[in-house]
Amino acid sequence: MTTCACGNCQFFDTQGKMTRQKNRDSGLCRFNPPMAQADAGEPAVWPRVDSRDWCGHFAVTVERFMTAAE
């Protein structure tokens, strides 16, 4: 049984430039589009999440590969 956590989700990205330089237990959530920052000079960014976080959009990573193979 897969634990419902961001680290096990198909939308969890640890390959981005921002996450490779930071903590290995964090990543970017790619489910929703990037969000604008409060400071007008800052670009929109993907939400940073911890691998142990979770939300209602969880989708097991294996599902992505099964769908592509069909």
Side-chain angles (χ1 to χ4, degrees):
M1 181 174 168
T2 302
T3 302
C4 294
C6 292
N8 298 325
C9 182
Q10 70 178 352
F11 302 111
F12 185 67
D13 177 17
T14 59
Q15 301 302 310
K17 183 178 179 182
M18 297 285 292
T19 56
R20 281 183 272 165
Q21 298 172 352
K22 302 290 182 182
N23 184 350
R24 290 180 166 236
D25 289 332
S26 68
L28 302 176
C29 177
R30 300 290 187 165
F31 184 83
N32 291 310
M35 298 173 62
Q37 299 302 294
D39 299 333
E42 293 293 321
V45 295
W46 295 95
R48 185 180 310 270
V49 295
D50 186 81
S51 63
R52 296 174 304 252
D53 289 343
W54 64 275
C55 76
H57 299 295
F58 177 78
V60 179
T61 303
V62 176
E63 290 178 7
R64 173 177 49 180
F65 299 114
M66 292 173 63
T67 303
E70 294 179 342

